[in-house]
Amino acid sequence: MSTPFPFTAVVGQDDLRLALLLNAVSPAVGGVLVRGEKGTAKSTAVRALSALLPEVDVVPGCRFSCDPGSPDPACPDGPHAPGASGSRPARMVELPVGASEDRLVGALDIERALSEGVKAFEPGLLADAHRGILYVDEVNLLHDHLVDLLLDAAAMGASYVEREGVSVRHASRFLLVGTMNPEEGELRPQLLDRFGLTVEVAASREPDQRVEVVRRRLAYDDDPAGFAARWAGEEAAVRQRVVAARALLPSVRLGDGALRQIAATCAAFEVDGMRADIVMARTATALAAWAGRSDVLAEDVRQAALLALPHRRRRNPFDAPGLDEDKLDETLEEFGGQDPGDGDDDPDDPGPGGGPGGQPEPGDAPGGDGDTAARPEAGEGGEPRPSGAGEQSPVRAAEPFRAKVLSVPGLGEGAAGRRSRARTEHGRTTGARRPRGALTKLHLAATVRAAAPHQRARGRSGPGLVVRRDDLRQATREGREGNLVLFVVDASGSMAARRRMGAVKGAVLSLLLDAYQRRDKVGLVTFRGSAADVALPPTSSVDAAAARLESLPTGGRTPLAAGLLRAHEVLRVERLRDPARRALVVVVTDGRATGGPEPVALASRAARLFAAGQVASVVVDCESGPVRLGLAGRLADELGGTAVTLDELRADSIAGLVKDVQRRAA
């Protein structure tokens, strides 16, 4: 077994280490979500935590880690005889992102069921993690069906397995710890709320601290055992402090004043539900015990708020987690606690309102935008603005709306998601087939039917069914997949009217929100001036796409062909990386093409590449004004897709669009 990096040897990351230690003191806090860029010791610190936890008393031989003092009466290995007791180190069980459902919750022992005719249950990771740590690295990439199972177990403290004729329930109370890189996508709100605490980590910008990180890592890599031995004293001291804090925890007093501060803080920050209040109370109590105190102070409440509330402040998927510390200090002072800080508040500060970078709201006429921004908007009852208009500063997106579902036609086999029909490992069973390679989902009835006619010839004499490899049948299932939604956005001068560009950004933002909910990858290609740029390569982080969209400048000519060709190249590369994931191209333009020789002909030829490759596509027609040229509709025909207006993108006015997309792309 490899020697883990010592917890006390981690350099810096004070909030991360404190959050983990508080959960070691009081597992009822509810776990930790560690957010941060790659290479910041997230996984190293989590894996080192288990060495600091006290040993666990267990019933000898119980696969479900029952406590001998109060064994689970419904334990599948029970009933347990009184008096039997043993101990083992606390476990840290890792849940791989690509784990199967059977590996997580357990499953019927197929071999014994078919050969011996008995129902035998094989425990999964939820059983292994009972009374220990369940660690999920890259938790934001976990498949939805596994997230649902984790939510159920975390909410009920037990795992229920109902499948293939097996009905099993066993206790599963664990400390849930997850790490994630926000650039790769955010967590579903339901799972996000299940983490008691959250911390943001980043690499230090101090040269001396970075030198120490490298020095310790190199020393550990050269001699892991020797390095761990040098830190054994510090590890033992922290372990003893954890044990002492656990012993003190029941006697810590959470007074009415501290409890009132907790309730007032949660109300002031408008968090949903009551879980935040409970987590803050438990965290403040654990902080007091960790400090060796029997009373909760205002400083404990403040620290608890900084750890328990930031991830519960997200009102929509594009909000960054965070907490206004000045507002927190005001609330604590107002409701009777000592002032933990003396921040200088400015009640007249408008906060994050207004446009990005101090830009005015759409429709204003700022003097700094030049005469092109101050003139009336093109296409709003007047002549279109010349496509060579100069660059304008970014425009704020209009309010997003609920968009109708756009899906890719046919039946795919991509990653699990919620957009298009696909053959998946999870979903409704549609049939059975012979397995290709390893058997993953047994179709029991089909297997029995295949084996039944051969029982006499195989000499069956007992209760078990004589089954051979050729009899096994794999269940085929149909569910939903996530797609690559590639946005190709016209940012040229013909789109630069501020009100229109705000509406366009609002529409794209609405589609990005839909992509977040349906677990898609997204990419963003923009074209303006004389070229096209990949503003965002395909990624699972729709937050990054929204940020790039918000800062998108406009102006210049309309190189439509360049935008389409760049999008075609992005799809080609992505197809090599992820061949099973199908694409949906969303072109946002008024259909104009200018700049260079024969821009319209070039754009037509580029569009026909998508039609030849049978790529599903939608053109969002942004043309406005009383006179419409219908250029976006022609572009949609050449792409083999369909065209919709901005108004038709709304869920209540786009009925039939999906059928139209499927009909054209079929």
Side-chain angles (χ1 to χ4, degrees):
M1 182 176 179
S2 61
T3 303
F5 192 91
F7 185 87
T8 52
V10 175
V11 179
Q13 309 298 10
D14 295 338
D15 288 344
L16 169 59
R17 292 190 294 171
L18 177 61
L20 292 172
L21 288 170
L22 291 177
N23 276 274
V25 171
S26 175
V29 166
V32 187
L33 174 64
V34 187
R35 299 164 48 93
E37 58 196 25
K38 51 188 176 293
T40 50
K42 300 188 299 291
S43 301
T44 299
V46 173
R47 291 190 175 99
L49 176 65
S50 60
L52 302 179
L53 299 181
E55 288 194 340
V56 178
D57 293 331
V58 296
V59 174
C62 177
R63 297 175 297 167
F64 301 89
S65 301
C66 278
D67 185 348
S70 56
D72 182 4
C75 177
D77 285 355
H80 299 299
S85 178
S87 64
R88 61 164 175 78
R91 289 176 182 161
M92 191 191 73
V93 178
E94 291 198 43
L95 171 60
V97 169
S100 67
E101 183 177 338
D102 290 347
R103 185 71 188 98
L104 179 61
V105 301
L108 175 70
D109 189 330
I110 299 297
E111 182 178 351
R112 292 190 62 191
L114 295 178
S115 62
E116 302 176 23
V118 298
K119 295 180 180 179
F121 180 69
E122 188 69 26
L125 295 177
L126 289 180
D128 293 341
H130 179 46
R131 304 176 67 202
I133 302 172
L134 181 63
Y135 171 48
V136 189
D137 194 13
E138 305 293 353
V139 64
N140 50 325
L141 304 182
L142 200 64
H143 288 174
D144 277 358
H145 66 281
L146 297 181
V147 170
D148 293 336
L149 294 170
L150 274 181
L151 289 173
D152 289 343
M156 297 182 292
S159 176
Y160 292 82
V161 184
E162 301 280 350
R163 56 194 309 173
E164 284 114 9
V166 174
S167 179
V168 174
R169 175 259 179 216
H170 64 84
S172 183
R173 292 182 296 276
F174 48 82
L175 176 61
L176 181 61
V177 180
T179 56
M180 60 174 283
N181 184 347
E183 294 178 356
E184 297 172 338
E186 285 292 346
L187 275 177
R188 284 172 53 185
Q190 296 93 330
L191 183 56
L192 191 64
D193 190 51
R194 285 293 172 187
F195 287 97
L197 311 179
T198 185
V199 292
E200 294 275 349
V201 297
S204 172
R205 298 297 182 258
E206 286 291 330
D208 291 343
Q209 195 171 77
R210 295 175 75 95
V211 166
E212 187 61 24
V213 169
V214 175
R215 181 181 290 120
R216 293 187 187 183
R217 185 69 210 191
L218 293 178
Y220 171 78
D221 291 341
D222 289 341
D223 182 10
F227 183 82
R230 290 196 294 274
W231 288 88
E234 287 83 350
E235 292 282 288
V238 172
R239 191 179 302 110
Q240 291 171 3
R241 188 175 175 185
V242 169
V243 172
R246 281 193 173 190
L248 178 61
L249 187 66
S251 60
V252 174
R253 176 179 174 273
L254 180 64
D256 290 344
L259 196 55
R260 183 172 176 80
Q261 285 182 315
I262 290 171
T265 300
C266 292
F269 285 99
E270 300 179 349
V271 296
D272 295 332
M274 295 298 298
R275 183 174 286 118
D277 303 62
I278 297 170
V279 170
M280 271 191 67
R282 289 172 174 167
T283 304
T285 304
L287 279 162
W290 178 249
R293 289 186 268 100
S294 58
D295 287 298
V296 174
L297 305 180
E299 63 193 61
D300 299 322
V301 176
R302 186 180 195 275
Q303 184 64 56
L306 294 174
L307 292 172
L309 296 187
H311 60 303
R312 295 183 167 90
R313 286 283 298 143
R314 285 171 64 94
R315 314 311 296 179
N316 67 65
F318 303 131
D319 289 342
L323 210 63
D324 183 343
E325 294 192 33
D326 290 339
K327 181 177 180 180
L328 172 61
D329 292 341
E330 286 180 358
T331 304
L332 293 175
E333 184 177 8
E334 178 183 354
F335 286 87
Q338 65 186 42
D339 186 3
D342 53 357
D344 184 14
D345 300 325
D346 182 4
D348 296 325
D349 184 5
Q359 293 302 319
E361 293 289 332
D364 291 348
D369 273 349
D371 58 354
T372 56
R375 290 199 302 265
E377 295 176 358
E380 308 294 338
E383 291 297 321
R385 180 188 311 239
S387 58
E391 179 178 322
Q392 295 186 44
S393 56
V395 179
R396 286 192 65 184
E399 191 69 22
F401 51 82
R402 188 169 66 89
K404 189 68 175 181
V405 181
L406 307 177
S407 65
V408 178
L411 194 63
E413 295 183 345
R418 298 182 175 184
R419 184 171 296 278
S420 305
R421 293 175 55 230
R423 298 184 186 91
T424 61
E425 288 292 315
H426 307 273
R428 63 186 182 90
T429 301
T430 57
R433 59 173 173 81
R434 292 180 182 273
R436 306 186 189 102
L439 178 70
T440 56
K441 293 291 181 182
L442 179 75
H443 195 298
L444 189 57
T447 299
V448 171
R449 285 196 299 268
H454 308 291
Q455 296 305 295
R456 181 176 296 179
R458 294 173 182 174
R460 172 184 169 183
S461 58
L465 192 67
V466 181
V467 179
R468 295 179 180 170
R469 172 70 184 176
D470 289 344
D471 301 327
L472 298 179
R473 295 294 183 268
Q474 174 89 21
T476 58
R477 301 186 178 188
E478 182 177 314
R480 293 278 169 178
E481 67 176 0
N483 298 116
L484 166 60
V485 182
L486 182 61
F487 294 93
V488 185
V489 180
D490 183 350
S492 66
S494 66
M495 298 280 290
R498 295 186 69 81
R499 188 166 61 193
R500 191 197 316 172
M501 197 63 200
V504 167
K505 286 188 176 184
V508 177
L509 197 63
S510 303
L511 293 171
L512 281 172
L513 180 60
D514 182 69
Y516 165 82
Q517 295 167 340
R518 301 187 186 283
R519 316 301 286 175
D520 293 317
K521 291 180 71 174
V522 296
L524 179 62
V525 173
T526 64
F527 57 94
R528 55 180 288 273
S530 60
D533 296 313
V534 181
L536 184 71
T539 175
S540 297
S541 176
V542 296
D543 297 57
R548 301 292 173 86
L549 178 71
E550 191 71 22
S551 61
L552 178 67
T554 59
R557 294 187 177 274
T558 313
L560 177 58
L564 295 175
L565 291 174
R566 181 58 62 91
H568 189 269
E569 177 63 16
V570 169
L571 293 182
R572 184 189 69 80
V573 173
E574 191 64 18
R575 202 172 291 121
L576 296 175
R577 293 174 178 166
D578 192 357
R581 189 181 292 269
R582 298 183 296 164
L584 174 65
V585 177
V586 180
V587 185
V588 185
T589 181
D590 56 9
R592 290 178 172 84
T594 61
E598 300 183 346
V600 176
L602 284 174
S604 297
R605 287 199 292 271
R608 287 194 286 272
L609 291 174
F610 291 85
Q614 296 185 328
V615 178
S617 59
V618 175
V619 176
V620 180
D621 184 359
C622 302
E623 193 173 24
S624 59
V627 179
R628 296 176 182 251
L629 304 178
L631 299 176
R634 289 182 224 166
L635 176 62
D637 290 337
E638 290 168 336
L639 287 166
T642 189
V644 295
T645 65
L646 289 173
D647 289 338
E648 290 172 337
L649 272 178
R650 297 179 180 272
D652 55 1
S653 62
I654 197 173
L657 172 61
V658 175
K659 294 180 180 179
D660 196 18
V661 172
Q662 293 175 341
R663 184 177 65 252
R664 289 172 177 268

